[in-house]
Amino acid sequence: MTGILGLAGITHFLRPETFDSIVPPRLGNPRFWTYASGVAELGCATMLAVPATRRLGGTASAALMVGVFPANIYTVKKHWHSPRGRAIALARLPLQVPLVWMSWNIAGGRAEASR
C-alpha cells in the first residue's frame, strides 16, 4: 500500500491533467482536488511507512479509498458512450475493494501479523 499510494501521489503532481479529468464538475476546481488527493495519498503513504503511525495510516488510507470512489463512478458516467472507455472505467471499480480491504487490515494490525 505504501508503494501504491506513494506512486499515485507523485503522479498527481507529474501528470495532473489525467486526474483533473475525473474530478466531478460539481466539486469545482479540478486541479485543487487533484493536488489535494495527491497530498492525501503521499500523507497516507508516509504514515504507512512509519511503524508508529502505520495503523493510523491504514485507517486514513481506507477512508481515502472510499472517498475517491465517487471519481471512479463519475468516470464510468463520463465514458459510458465509449465502449473502450466504459470497459476500462468499469474494470477499475472493483479494484477499490482490495485497496480498502488491505488498508483496513493494516489499521487493525492484521497486516503486521502476516509478515
Side-chain angles (χ1 to χ4, degrees):
M1 281 303 297
T2 302
I4 291 169
L5 288 167
L7 182 60
I10 290 168
T11 306
H12 277 71
F13 294 95
L14 296 178
R15 298 184 183 262
E17 58 283 344
T18 302
F19 298 95
D20 291 349
S21 71
I22 65 170
V23 174
R26 69 179 147 219
L27 292 180
N29 184 346
R31 187 60 51 96
F32 168 80
W33 292 108
T34 294
Y35 288 157
S37 59
V39 167
E41 287 174 332
L42 291 171
C44 287
T46 301
M47 286 191 290
L48 290 170
V50 177
T53 58
R54 185 166 292 133
R55 291 176 80 168
L56 177 60
T59 301
S61 298
L64 179 62
M65 293 300 114
V66 171
V68 299
F69 193 71
N72 294 337
I73 293 172
Y74 169 72
T75 304
V76 171
K77 289 180 180 181
K78 181 179 176 182
H79 294 287
W80 191 255
H81 297 292
S82 163
R84 183 175 184 270
R86 180 178 58 230
I88 292 168
L90 285 169
R92 285 185 58 192
L93 290 178
L95 295 177
Q96 292 299 114
V97 174
L99 295 174
V100 173
W101 181 79
M102 286 188 293
S103 298
W104 198 248
N105 279 328
I106 293 167
R110 290 177 292 282
E112 294 167 8
S114 65
R115 286 189 187 150

